[in-house]
Amino acid sequence: MVRWRSGTVTAVRRRWAGAVELDVDLPDGTRMRALAYPALVGDPQPGDRVLLNAGALLMGLGTGGYALVVALPDRLPADPPQPADTRAAGHLVKARYTPLQPILLGVDEEASPHHALLAAAESLDGLPVVTADLHSALPAILAGVHADAPDARVAYLLTDGGALPAWFSRTLAGLADRLAGTVSVGQAFGGDLEASTLHSGLLAARHVLRADIAIVAQGPGNLGTGTRWGFSGVAVGEAVNAVAALGGRPVGSLRLSAADPRPRHRGVSHHSLTAYGRVALAPADLVVPDNLDPALAEEVAAALAPLAGRHRIVTVPTDGLDAALRASPVGLSTMGRGLDADHAYFLAAAAAGRHAAALTR
């Protein structure tokens, strides 16, 4: 449940697209690091009183280790300029029936300028779509795409297994000029376009953003329980099904690692094996980078052998990908490990991007 705190903003630490990081002093003399989304609660300034949800910070969560600003009770933001009793500005309600539910314009609803286009859209027309179960794969996949196709238009679809606001992701803010746009789907929000489902979001990526390639991954802060099925990234298998149903080309970015201390995530993570082996009912191209360490390569091949009856296992050359990863405009990190600490993970994601780029030629 919510752990409420009230305090006073003492400093604005930094800003990025859609978010502001604050220092907040509490009446008991303690200080909390807090995050506010100005589009939801207004723009906090030093001296403002803020109401906080402090649960994630007190629990010590890595990704979500902020107290979140729920309201500026003494300085509420102004209402949006549109009338409140019409659907002219949209009626997509996200984070539904929570205290901060936003009402947004869906890319395909009647008030949208794209409604007619998407009402007629039925197919992705062979669009390559890279699916990944962690947000940390996004910059590595993008690096792999642009290593071979620097002018490719790449759209990102933010699914709702992790952070709902796109604004939470500093990675996404740092990649904004490399992307054709972000589509937030399901309960996620804050992208350049809003979609109610992954299917409508994929069609928007293809027909509105005119993407050459799309990437589907949840936001940062995934949920896992240490069990086979209790992981929000299992939905990557459903993404494969959605891409196939719409006539796209699913490309699976595998979660590989020789560095993860947990045995279930070494080699091919059991989450990838579950998502692609049990949940994905349509075939995908599952990408393996070449030149892996021989022991890791052997382990990966053995793990993927049972999946070869449904999917196509594709080995992709990795020349130039290390340089592309090191040139990323944002830092690379997964589970606290950087590029050199978990090289196979990022190389696998970049190889998936390279393969998607090859499918556009």
Side-chain angles (χ1 to χ4, degrees), residues 298-311:
E298 183 177 353
E299 190 173 358
V300 168
L304 293 179
L307 279 63
R310 177 178 305 154
H311 302 293

Side-chain angles (χ1 to χ4, degrees), residues 45-336:
Q45 300 296 324
D48 281 336
R49 185 167 67 96
V50 290
L51 300 181
L52 304 174
N53 177 342
L57 178 61
L58 295 172
M59 189 174 287
L61 298 181
T63 301
Y66 288 101
L68 295 172
V69 175
V70 180
L72 281 65
D74 304 322
R75 195 167 61 83
L76 297 176
D79 285 349
Q82 301 86 4
D85 58 350
T86 76
R87 297 187 174 190
H91 77 294
L92 252 64
V93 181
K94 298 202 174 186
R96 290 189 280 275
Y97 302 104
T98 63
L100 288 178
Q101 61 181 18
I103 300 176
L104 306 158
L105 178 63
V107 65
D108 59 345
E109 64 175 303
E110 291 85 347
S112 168
H114 310 296
H115 174 73
L117 176 63
L118 291 177
E122 291 289 340
S123 175
L124 296 177
D125 303 324
L127 178 73
V129 181
V130 184
T131 58
D133 68 0
L134 292 177
H135 189 69
S136 56
L138 171 62
I141 295 168
L142 193 61
V145 170
H146 285 156
D148 292 352
D151 296 325
R153 292 179 59 82
V154 182
Y156 169 52
L157 289 101
L158 171 73
T159 61
D160 55 15
L164 298 186
W167 312 311
F168 185 79
S169 173
R170 294 193 297 275
T171 293
L172 189 53
L175 295 174
D177 62 350
R178 307 289 180 98
L179 292 168
T182 295
V183 187
S184 36
V185 306
Q187 292 295 306
F189 58 92
D192 300 293
L193 300 174
E194 303 288 347
S196 54
T197 68
L198 178 57
H199 298 76
S200 61
L202 285 165
L203 290 169
R206 171 68 181 87
H207 297 286
V208 176
L209 296 178
R210 305 187 309 283
D212 302 310
I213 294 167
I215 301 170
V216 176
Q218 62 182 333
N222 64 90
L223 176 63
T225 64
T227 64
R228 179 180 300 276
W229 296 105
F231 170 57
S232 53
V234 166
V236 75
E238 299 289 3
V240 169
N241 298 335
V243 173
L246 293 171
R249 291 286 303 272
V251 176
S253 176
L254 294 168
R255 185 172 167 186
L256 307 187
S257 180
D260 199 300
R262 299 163 294 179
R264 66 184 184 275
H265 292 306
R266 285 201 293 270
V268 184
S269 168
H270 77 117
H271 288 323
S272 284
L273 296 175
T274 298
Y276 295 115
R278 301 284 298 277
V279 181
L281 303 180
D285 291 353
L286 303 184
V287 176
V288 179
D290 72 355
N291 291 325
L292 290 175
D293 175 81
L296 177 59
E298 183 177 353
E299 190 173 358
V300 168
L304 293 179
L307 279 63
R310 177 178 305 154
H311 302 293
R312 188 164 74 103
I313 313 300
V314 182
T315 301
V316 171
T318 57
D319 52 295
L321 289 184
D322 179 76
L325 288 166
R326 295 186 188 281
S328 171
V330 299
L332 302 177
S333 178
T334 184
M335 303 296 170

